[in-house]
Amino acid sequence: MTFEDKMNKVLKEHAANKKALAREIGMPYTTFLYKCKGVEYWNVIEFKKLSDILRLSDEEQAFLCEEVT
């Protein structure tokens, strides 16, 4: 499962709208879509904002950040 698949799964579970979420994080929608392609594109501050806004559990954070093999 790719990072993008994982992100889409988490967003669906939280009923999150990508456009509204990007606005809340403080980044352009197109940048958010690009960053959803891989965990390596996120910096710590952005990922923390994402986690806080969605109220991600530790398990959900680990699910998103674990290495894809």
Side-chain angles (χ1 to χ4, degrees):
M1 181 179 273
T2 67
F3 178 79
E4 188 172 22
D5 294 334
K6 292 178 183 183
M7 179 66 85
N8 287 332
K9 182 177 191 261
V10 169
L11 294 177
K12 186 176 181 180
E13 288 173 357
H14 287 270
N17 177 290
K18 288 182 180 181
K19 202 171 264 192
L21 187 55
R23 193 175 325 116
E24 284 289 320
I25 293 172
M27 72 175 60
Y29 176 62
T30 54
T31 302
F32 181 80
L33 293 179
Y34 174 75
K35 288 179 179 276
C36 285
K37 301 280 183 196
V39 70
E40 65 274 9
Y41 302 126
W42 290 85
N43 66 41
V44 174
I45 295 169
E46 293 166 341
F47 194 82
K48 176 74 171 130
K49 285 181 183 178
L50 173 76
S51 178
D52 289 346
I53 291 167
L54 291 178
R55 297 182 180 145
L56 297 178
S57 67
D58 291 340
E59 292 80 24
E60 289 171 319
Q61 289 179 36
F63 173 72
L64 283 174
C65 293
E66 72 185 14
E67 280 293 314
V68 179
T69 56

